[in-house]
Amino acid sequence: LELAAPIPALLSDGEACAHGEDLGLEGSLAGVRDAYYLGGGTGLAEAFKLHGQVVDMDALRPWMRKAWQLEDKHGNSFEDLASARGLNERYAMRRGVEPTPGAEVSAPRERGRAATPSR
């Protein structure tokens, strides 16, 4: 396979989301000059809008750390505390049950429940 041109790099989740918020008719970044975008889900998506331009967080290294790299005074990262895995682990600890393998994809309310036999 011979390419006519190099394949451009994909945008980060944060940069793509920020572009959507910037270009959308009712986007939260439309018409804004400077802003910080942070979206949550299975991970963190973040970007800046500076001087009217969306900027990926990687362009701001090394002086700006990403939110998932920040730690509290106990050394827990935001990822440890806010990810699905982290939330499920903390929920299991408070309930006094063992974390379920693969729990990062299960809802915390399902943790510790006995399996219901199918009929």
Side-chain angles (χ1 to χ4, degrees):
L1 176 65
E2 191 173 324
L3 300 176
I7 298 173
L10 296 175
L11 299 177
S12 71
D13 290 352
E15 188 177 2
C17 291
H19 278 294
E21 291 292 339
D22 187 39
L23 299 173
L25 295 177
E26 295 183 27
S28 61
L29 297 180
V32 175
R33 183 175 188 268
D34 300 301
Y36 170 65
Y37 173 87
L38 177 66
T42 57
L44 299 176
E46 59 185 321
F48 272 91
K49 185 173 180 185
L50 300 172
H51 306 290
Q53 299 295 313
V54 172
V55 179
D56 183 58
M57 294 295 292
D58 289 333
L60 303 176
R61 278 189 299 199
W63 61 273
M64 178 59 112
R65 292 172 63 193
K66 295 179 180 181
W68 63 267
Q69 295 170 314
L70 303 176
E71 296 179 346
D72 68 8
K73 65 182 178 182
H74 305 290
N76 299 306
S77 72
F78 189 80
E79 188 77 12
D80 293 334
L81 299 172
S83 68
R85 175 194 47 78
L87 291 170
N88 278 301
E89 285 176 358
R90 290 195 345 264
Y91 181 85
M93 184 176 66
R94 289 185 183 199
R95 292 284 307 250
V97 298
E98 285 293 316
T100 305
E104 61 275 0
V105 296
S106 67
R109 67 180 174 275
E110 300 300 320
R111 165 107 44 221
R113 285 190 184 169
T116 305
S118 44
R119 297 179 185 214

